[in-house]
Amino acid sequence: MAITPEANWPPYSYSMGFSIGSTAIPDPAKFTGAESDLDTMGERDATGYLHRDMVATKHPLKLEYNNIPWSLVRQIGVLLRADKFQFTYPDPFYSSAHTIDAYVGDREWEANWSPAAGTWVGNLKFSVIEY
């Protein structure tokens, strides 16, 4: 299943492979990611050697959509309301799309009237945080 565009709106690109659960979402205008190691402890001894207990590597992401139909802002927003979901995205450190168990962090949206389109358009930014 995929989110589809409104009538009279350009088709969305899905080439990057983003999805929330089993629903494909359009490629964002911009996205950033990171790979972060989590430690339960880390100390240096008298020689300066680091003793650490790394327990996991996590992948936080930020996505940004600009000038999209208001209905798309709403559709993506509904998908992000789950307490936990699977999120698939392109990760440059993996050979294909990478799927994580995630939750949504901050969500920012903005609505603007577009006389040219004759409808409301929106901007949406949100962060996805791996469990």
Side-chain angles (χ1 to χ4, degrees):
M1 181 164 78
I3 291 175
T4 57
E6 295 179 355
N8 302 324
W9 205 270
Y12 304 139
S13 170
Y14 294 88
S15 64
M16 298 296 285
F18 288 92
S19 68
I20 300 171
S22 61
T23 304
I25 60 172
D27 297 342
K30 174 182 175 181
F31 70 99
T32 60
E35 192 168 273
S36 302
D37 293 335
L38 294 179
D39 296 341
T40 57
M41 79 94 181
E43 289 184 4
R44 293 196 182 271
D45 62 22
T47 67
Y49 184 81
L50 176 65
H51 299 272
R52 69 186 285 211
D53 186 11
M54 187 180 89
V55 294
T57 300
K58 299 296 180 177
H59 302 88
L61 298 110
K62 293 180 182 177
L63 284 80
E64 183 175 325
Y65 291 86
N66 298 313
N67 298 314
I68 59 175
W70 184 248
S71 62
L72 180 57
V73 173
R74 294 181 67 201
Q75 290 176 61
I76 293 173
V78 167
L79 293 171
L80 294 172
R81 297 208 45 108
D83 291 340
K84 183 178 185 180
F85 51 85
Q86 286 197 321
F87 187 76
T88 303
Y89 66 97
D91 189 313
F93 301 145
Y94 292 84
S95 60
S96 61
H98 187 60
T99 300
I100 58 173
D101 288 327
Y103 64 96
V104 67
D106 292 338
R107 295 156 292 243
E108 297 178 38
W109 55 268
E110 176 182 59
N112 299 290
W113 177 255
S114 171
T119 188
W120 286 92
V121 296
N123 299 324
L124 175 64
K125 296 179 186 178
F126 60 92
S127 57
V128 173
I129 303 155
E130 186 175 11
Y131 259 85

